[in-house]
Amino acid sequence: RTEKLAEIENFFNDATRRGAEGVMIKDAASPYEAGKRGWRWIKFKKDYAEALVDTFDLVVVGGLYGAGRRAGTYGSLLVAVYDPRDGHYYSCTKVGAGFTDADLAALTKKLNKLRLKEKHRLVETGMKPEVWFTPELVMEVSAAELTVSPIHAAARAKLKKGGLALRFPRFLRWRDDNSSTQATTVEEIYNLYRRA
């Protein structure tokens, strides 16, 4: 039992090296429901790990406080894609993996200058983070696959059944060279989903 992404990745890599198709990642407290996994039971297969080779430049729009080692900073960040047609930012995942200790130590200072009392008028999401941010900061993120989510808003108007979400997102680096309007767009993420 673990919540550490590095341990999950090591277990997954070991399982696939031994010939397994992949692993089932689940919330230990969630009951089994036949034919339904949702977000509490996630099948992670080797082909998912190889499926998304692109990375995404996503805009930070919200944050959730951390616990344990991450106490005093943010444990995960709500991020979004950009839609140049209406100027809005549509959530597509929350990112908590991939941050080094140095990244975590710098998060509060980096983000607190962007804090808002309420959701920015250009942000669309079904999530309610503990802190909202002005959509300015861009991060590069990798992920295992794209899926439809009832919570996230990316491409919701096109799908009609939820928005697109990145599964197993991992922070790679800050994109200080990109403005928030140069982030991955709704159209780009939707086209990638359609090709998968």
Side-chain angles (χ1 to χ4, degrees), residues 156-169:
R156 185 186 304 151
K158 293 176 178 287
L159 294 172
K160 311 284 190 223
K161 57 182 178 180
L164 290 176
L166 296 174
R167 279 175 117 178
F168 302 107

Side-chain angles (χ1 to χ4, degrees), residues 15-35:
T16 55
R17 267 194 304 273
R18 290 184 285 129
E21 179 183 345
V23 296
M24 180 66 76
I25 301 170
K26 71 178 203 98
D27 177 347
S30 68
Y32 175 74
E33 296 178 62

Side-chain angles (χ1 to χ4, degrees), residues 42 46 57 64 75 77 83-84 87-88 106 117 123-124 150 182 191:
I42 300 169
K46 188 175 180 184
D57 290 337
L64 292 100
L77 300 175
D83 192 336
H88 285 224
K117 292 186 180 192
V123 171
E124 305 289 341
Q182 294 172 305
N191 288 339

Side-chain angles (χ1 to χ4, degrees), residues 56-130:
F56 305 86
D57 290 337
L58 304 174
V59 183
V60 179
V61 297
L64 292 100
Y65 292 119
R69 191 174 124 243
R70 295 186 182 197
T73 187
Y74 300 103
S76 61
L77 300 175
L78 178 63
V79 292
V81 290
Y82 178 65
D83 192 336
R85 291 173 300 183
D86 63 9
H88 285 224
Y89 298 88
Y90 294 86
S91 74
C92 61
T93 196
K94 57 180 189 168
V95 181
F99 294 103
T100 65
D101 288 342
D103 292 328
L104 291 172
L107 268 184
T108 304
K109 184 177 179 185
K110 193 171 192 78
L111 290 166
N112 277 355
K113 61 186 175 188
L114 301 174
R115 273 181 82 134
L116 296 170
K117 292 186 180 192
E118 57 188 31
K119 180 171 71 81
H120 192 280
R121 65 181 179 79
L122 296 177
V123 171
E124 305 289 341
T125 185
M127 268 196 92
K128 291 186 173 43
E130 294 167 307

Side-chain angles (χ1 to χ4, degrees), residues 2-9 69:
T2 185
E3 293 180 9
K4 295 180 181 173
L5 184 62
E7 289 180 21
I8 294 169
E9 287 174 342
R69 191 174 124 243

